[in-house]
Amino acid sequence: MRGIFVTSTVTACAAALTLPLLTTPTGAATAPAVRTAPAAGLSGVPGSTRSLPLVPLTPGDRAVGRAAEQGLPAREVEPFSLVGIVWDNAAAELRGQAQVRTRAVGSHRWSTWQDVQIHDDDRPDLDSAEGASGRRRGATAPLWVGASDAVQVRVRAETVTDRTPEGPAFPVGLRLELVDPGKDPAPEPARPQRQAPAVPAAVPARSAEEPTVPASPALSEVEAATSAVNSLLAPLGAKEILARDKDGSGADVAATGPGDAPVESPPQDPDTDGAADVDTTDDAADAAADDSTDGADQASRYVEGGGYIGPRPRIVTRAGWGADESIRERGFVYTKTVRAAFVHHTASGNKYSCSQSASVIRGIYRYHVQSSGWRDMGYNFLVDKCGTIYEGRSGGVAKAVMGAHTLGFNSNSMGIAVLGTFASSTPPTAAVDAVARLTAWKLGLFGRNPLGSTTLVSAGGNLFKKGTKVKLKVISGHRDGYATECPGDLLYKKLGRARSTAARLQGR
């Protein structure tokens, strides 16, 4: 799938920092700190990413070239809240068990050992410009640990058996990433109305070739560009996109085109029922046509009365959660349409409060961009345990933005990540209902039935070979397109509820 690239402007900076040791009873030596990342962004939101190379903790097995354990002895560090482990070769695999324990800021008590999920299965497609870039690194899933100022790490190699693959269990360049998400941005002044006003059917829309909206005194050029792609939904620089009822949500179709270019779609027949009404064209020929069609030449449309488009939910924008736009790659990448939504869990743990959600998201954003080497946040949207919806990857919440969430199926789809780990923990009802509200609106903008199925062409993964035409549910779990535990057994079991609720919100 050929992405449509629209440019903006971005800058980058770097700083150096040395981290002190924490004396341990063993007296083991630790490695010096290495690479650091920006300490403050354009919006003034502080934050940083620091790397510490892992060192051998036990002797290796010279016969097979395996180190039994790598890690870091306990040491004091600058404050951080999120951790992960990365390595040089994105194609290499870490085989074993990774654990961390941390000390909370202002406390002398250490946490118990916490597992770090060693397989981060959310990633760019391998044949995309992002996936093929030399910046990409191998990475575990990030883990939210809360404000901490000391850390200890151990990574143990898997037990060697007759079936153990040859080669080292530890890829080259193992490093611990310590992410400080910084403080939350200042709150936006309260508005008298919490519902967006209705707009007339004839909604003006600019073409992608028009100049970017100039930055206001409070916004940098790149921040203005990031906000401008949502300009039909919210004022420039807005920290939230207000909810809109179903009668008015049809006007949001005007905001679905790449950049500022609107999209044309045939009207939907309200007399049809079930899954067939939106997916009759989702066959192999149509999927192949998507690969050769440039979405930039499409014209405007408006669905009277909202059609099968659900009410627009309230969405916290990137400005609202404090994205440092200077660290991501410039521009936006679009695909033609949105055929499916893949639901994920972030596998970052459940030990966060709703007031910390923006910090967790900033941490994941930094980990994806600075630690993993991606162009931007991988997910298109994120949802917290209280049901708040957040804009993820930049490019416009109503648009077909190409994400990095489901290897092999990032084209013509969107990725929604629920903050937390749901292998054995039940996802909050508020979060599941938020997924339903979001999909009712966003999938409705592109004429998709949440109860239906669709066909996507695999770009290559561990479940489907490149070029395979795969029939998937319009609302799928990550594991449906890639062999992974994501989104966790208990969240996966809730997808039926999300589908039925989304369909009801669309008026089906």
Side-chain angles (χ1 to χ4, degrees), residues 170 187 200 253 263 291 354 498:
F170 300 144
V253 172
V263 164
D291 289 343
C354 292

Side-chain angles (χ1 to χ4, degrees), residues 17-22 33 50 52 72-80 83 102-103 105 110 148-152 176 178:
L17 182 65
T18 302
L19 305 180
L21 292 175
L22 175 64
R50 296 175 292 274
L52 299 173
L72 286 176
R75 64 180 297 165
E76 291 182 343
V77 293
E78 294 294 325
F80 68 97
V83 301
T102 57
R103 187 186 68 189
V105 171
W110 285 75
S148 305
D149 60 9
V151 66
Q152 186 175 3
L176 176 70
L178 301 171

Side-chain angles (χ1 to χ4, degrees), residues 202-296:
V203 180
R206 299 181 304 278
S207 70
E209 289 74 26
E210 281 189 300
T212 301
V213 177
S216 71
L219 297 177
S220 69
E221 183 179 354
V222 66
E223 288 170 336
T226 303
S227 180
V229 289
N230 290 319
S231 62
L232 294 181
L233 308 178
L236 190 68
K239 295 187 176 181
E240 63 177 20
I241 295 171
L242 299 181
R244 170 175 286 166
D245 62 23
K246 189 177 187 302
D247 288 339
S249 64
D252 293 344
V253 172
T256 58
D260 290 319
V263 164
E264 180 178 0
S265 179
Q268 301 177 65
D269 182 2
D271 294 328
T272 60
D273 59 0
D277 56 350
V278 286
D279 285 313
T280 55
T281 60
D282 278 347
D283 54 17
D286 189 51
D290 272 353
D291 289 343
S292 60
T293 302
D294 187 343

Side-chain angles (χ1 to χ4, degrees), residues 127-150:
D127 62 351
S128 67
E130 183 176 9
S133 76
R135 298 184 302 275
R136 201 163 59 89
R137 305 179 189 92
T140 68
L143 177 67
W144 177 262
V145 295
S148 305
D149 60 9

